[in-house]
Amino acid sequence: GKLNSFSVPLDVILLSSESVLLTSSAQLNARNIKLSAPKITVDGRLNAFGSNNSESPFLALLGGRLAISGRLQSGSKQNKGSIQIRGDNVVDINGGNLVAANDDLGGDISIASNGDINIGNATILTNGSNGRGGSLNIIATHVSVFNSTLKANGTTGGGSVFVVANSGDVNFQQSFVQTNGGAGVGGSILISGVNNTIILSTKMDSTGYSQGG
């Protein structure tokens, strides 16, 4: 189905046996958002501000093939935000902007695929403005990251960025990964490919005021 713009203080669940398309002009603002279909395309903006139930992600995209070039955001003053992206076949994030955080703490972002994850010209942030940085976990058969920025910085401590290819390669090129702790300890960065781990023209930084990560 094709999704247009609306905003509601409720949970939005969209299930399709074929596809879900969020056009570039569309905006969806809700408490919790779940999209599930064999094919999901997000060119617009999704914002899930969250609820008191922190057991499940506030924003979830679950499908076979996922293509994301829009903006995904989760979090509010009360909730630090959480985003889950899972593709059975492939996840393509090209030019997308993903943010999970509130005014203090960084949120949690999980991106997983049984096939490939391709991230290009994207920005993914779980920064904590006044507290600790959040977590970013990327797990797939193969992971490619090109010309992208991944950050989990925090004022009191850095967060974590884990990128794992569980049976193939991790390929980082011309990208930036940062988990700095402004006034505390630097965070954690793990990049691991079972076959090959390729890092070219990429900067990784995990420093802290009191101790590096």
Side-chain angles (χ1 to χ4, degrees), residues 121-191:
N121 303 300
T123 300
I124 304 177
L125 307 177
T126 64
N127 294 333
S129 299
N130 298 307
R132 187 171 181 83
S135 66
L136 169 59
N137 296 313
I138 301 172
I139 301 175
T141 301
H142 302 278
V143 180
S144 297
V145 181
F146 293 86
N147 195 32
S148 295
T149 298
L150 315 179
K151 290 185 178 181
N153 296 327
T155 300
T156 60
S160 62
V161 174
F162 294 163
V163 181
V164 176
N166 50 30
S167 61
D169 302 336
V170 169
N171 187 356
F172 266 82
Q173 295 193 30
Q174 297 176 330
S175 295
F176 183 36
V177 182
Q178 189 176 63
T179 63
N180 287 350
V185 178
S188 303
I189 298 174
L190 170 66
I191 311 294

Side-chain angles (χ1 to χ4, degrees), residues 103-121:
D103 291 342
D104 295 316
L105 300 174
D108 302 311
I109 297 179
S110 172
I111 307 171
S113 174
N114 293 329
D116 295 351
I117 292 178
N118 304 305
I119 300 173
N121 303 300

Side-chain angles (χ1 to χ4, degrees), residues 51-68:
S51 64
N52 293 328
N53 180 15
S54 60
E55 297 299 321
S56 59
F58 301 140
L59 175 54
L61 276 60
L62 313 174
R65 300 181 64 88
L66 281 73
I68 300 167

